[in-house]
Amino acid sequence: MNKKRKQKGFTLIELIIVLAIFSIILTLVMSFIDPVAKLMSKASIKERTAAYVDNIEEYVDNSVHYAKFVRVYNGGFTDAVDEAVSTDEATAVKSFVDWFLGGVVDPDGNPITGKAHVMKLINNDVDLDSNGVVDLQAGRIYESVYDFTAAESYEKFVGTGTFDADGNEIMKREVHIRPGGADSVITAVSQNKPSINPEHFKDYNYYYKLGFYNLESIPSTDPAYLDAGKRAYYSKLNPMTDSAGNKIEYDSNTGKNFALNVVAYQNQTGGKTSVSYDTDADGVDDTTEDVFKSPCHMSTASMAFINAIRTNEATSAPFYKLKTKNDGSLDKTADDKVQFEAINSVDMGLAFRLMKPTAGDGNIYIVYILPEEIYDTNIVYK
């Protein structure tokens, strides 16, 4: 007798039950995987952002570390002498060159030539030509380069009408074009060239501030600072203080202990915003500060302008200039030959200076000249 084999398998109901169980298990597994994936993604972004901040600081430091002359304009371009007088970029560069290299000549008696750089750390968008289009984006760093020929100038010290505690009149150094002499010439080589890889700005943007600061959370439940239910908070930059509670300052005249803070914050609405504060508890807001939505990250880089500091401290004369009389005319010899005189580094004015305009755009501009880009190989820099 032939026996019939009974085929075994899953019924439709059994298949439905198995699929339902599998779906439940998959849902449970994904519920554990998703937070881990998000955590890893956030950690990856944080690590990458920290590396980007380091790259930005390294770029700024390497660019100006060995500059011979430096001017830092904290908020906008100003006159070389009077910080209350605002100027444009080209005028500031020309004034910068005149201040340091006006009247300086090469061994053949020709005005000195070279390159000047302008680094721009942008915190607020800039529309250079007022056409409604942003030319310099917040968070970015740009650089312009100028060729220059220094002016045939002379310097003199004039009274300011103000006196120190000992009754001595405070003198001010002025740079003047000598009679018949040529003015300095400034020619743009490149303008507003982006200096940082665009990849740095994919997830985060950046904010720049000079000085010594800590990034601290704002302890407030005010809706201006806290997104209720979203566990998002804001932080702001607070000045560092010493053990006595005094704000830690750096030397704005020599560049020693110069510090740059870089804050990274997410590219999102409200990632950076401005909040007004009442600092004296009189019911009236009297200051406005930038605050940053979490997650945000800050790093501080202390920089030393090696050559600028050495120029200030030098006692030898690295440059020569045409010898002039008090009226600015050339002081020639009896047989009508021009004379040269050594110019002491210290007499050239401080090789580093921080300029603080009374009104500005909130951006930081660093104008500097590198020793190797002053075109005369016969000049010895000491």
Side-chain angles (χ1 to χ4, degrees):
M1 293 179 65
N2 294 328
K3 293 182 178 180
K4 291 185 179 180
R5 293 184 178 180
K6 188 177 182 180
Q7 294 182 346
K8 294 182 178 181
F10 292 107
T11 65
L12 180 60
I13 294 176
E14 290 173 330
L15 287 173
I16 292 173
I17 293 173
V18 169
L19 289 174
I21 294 173
F22 180 77
S23 297
I24 293 172
I25 294 173
L26 182 62
T27 301
L28 290 173
V29 171
M30 292 304 297
S31 67
F32 287 103
I33 292 176
D34 188 55
V36 174
K38 289 181 178 179
L39 184 63
M40 292 179 65
S41 176
K42 288 181 179 179
S44 176
I45 291 175
K46 184 176 181 179
E47 289 179 2
R48 187 167 69 251
T49 302
Y52 287 166
V53 169
D54 290 341
N55 289 343
I56 291 172
E57 292 177 342
E58 185 177 3
Y59 168 76
V60 176
D61 192 14
N62 289 344
S63 296
V64 301
H65 190 75
Y66 293 105
K68 193 165 187 66
F69 307 112
V70 186
R71 280 285 186 273
V72 179
Y73 299 83
N74 191 14
F77 293 108
T78 70
D79 181 76
V81 179
D82 190 349
E83 298 177 26
V85 179
S86 298
T87 63
D88 57 25
E89 180 179 316
T91 303
V93 173
K94 181 180 181 302
S95 177
F96 174 81
V97 171
D98 288 344
W99 182 262
F100 290 118
L101 297 175
V104 176
V105 295
D106 63 23
D108 297 321
N110 300 312
I112 210 75
T113 61
K115 287 186 182 296
H117 298 255
V118 183
M119 184 187 298
K120 308 171 187 181
L121 288 71
I122 306 300
N123 289 322
N124 301 303
D125 291 339
V126 178
D127 177 9
L128 294 171
D129 46 14
S130 301
N131 64 350
V133 178
V134 174
D135 298 297
L136 306 179
Q137 290 182 280
R140 270 59 169 178
I141 298 179
Y142 302 86
E143 185 149 0
S144 297
V145 181
Y146 293 82
D147 280 335
F148 69 82
T149 299
E152 297 178 80
S153 62
Y154 70 100
E155 62 182 26
K156 67 178 181 179
F157 290 84
V158 297
T160 60
T162 57
F163 300 84
D164 59 22
D166 298 324
N168 301 313
E169 186 173 16
I170 299 174
M171 306 299 287
K172 179 174 68 174
R173 175 175 174 263
E174 292 184 347
V175 178
H176 299 269
I177 305 300
R178 68 174 180 81
D183 197 358
S184 57
V185 178
I186 305 296
T187 305
V189 176
S190 62
Q191 290 275 276
N192 302 317
K193 182 179 179 180
S195 303
I196 303 298
N197 190 325
E199 178 67 21
H200 287 53
F201 305 97
K202 183 177 179 180
D203 299 307
Y204 278 76
N205 209 345
Y206 305 89
Y207 177 84
Y208 311 98
K209 192 174 183 68
L210 302 177
F212 293 95
Y213 290 86
N214 288 315
L215 187 65
E216 300 177 358
S217 300
I218 301 174
S220 174
T221 56
D222 191 303
Y225 312 129
L226 184 70
D227 291 338
K230 297 182 180 180
R231 296 183 180 179
Y233 59 87
Y234 286 87
S235 299
K236 70 172 183 174
L237 292 169
N238 287 329
M240 291 185 183
T241 57
D242 57 23
S243 58
N246 300 314
K247 181 179 177 181
I248 299 176
E249 300 281 2
Y250 57 96
D251 193 333
S252 62
N253 287 325
T254 66
K256 291 181 179 178
N257 298 324
F258 181 81
L260 172 68
N261 304 277
V262 181
V263 181
Y265 60 93
Q266 278 191 322
N267 285 323
Q268 60 181 339
T269 302
K272 179 175 79 75
T273 186
S274 295
V275 174
S276 297
Y277 291 87
D278 176 13
T279 58
D280 51 12
D282 64 352
V284 179
D285 291 337
D286 47 24
T287 186
T288 300
E289 296 185 51
D290 291 306
V291 298
F292 307 92
K293 189 175 183 179
S294 66
C296 51
H297 169 74
M298 188 200 79
S299 181
T300 301
S302 293
M303 306 175 186
F305 301 113
I306 300 299
N307 285 339
I309 293 172
R310 288 177 179 172
T311 297
N312 279 344
E313 296 173 345
T315 55
S316 57
F319 294 121
Y320 287 86
K321 65 177 182 178
L322 294 171
K323 190 174 182 180
T324 57
K325 300 177 182 179
N326 291 335
D327 62 359
S329 61
L330 290 177
D331 187 1
K332 297 183 179 181
T333 62
D335 55 355
D336 202 37
K337 291 182 179 179
V338 296
Q339 300 185 77
F340 300 93
E341 62 180 339
I343 177 171
N344 191 291
S345 298
V346 178
D347 292 336
M348 299 175 74
L350 293 169
F352 173 91
R353 186 178 172 190
L354 174 63
M355 311 293 287
K356 301 176 182 179
T358 53
D361 56 15
N363 302 318
I364 300 170
Y365 304 94
I366 304 176
V367 183
Y368 63 99
I369 293 177
L370 299 171
E372 63 269 22
E373 291 183 340
I374 300 177
Y375 298 141
D376 194 318
T377 56
N378 294 319
I379 293 180
V380 178
Y381 301 99
K382 300 180 180 179

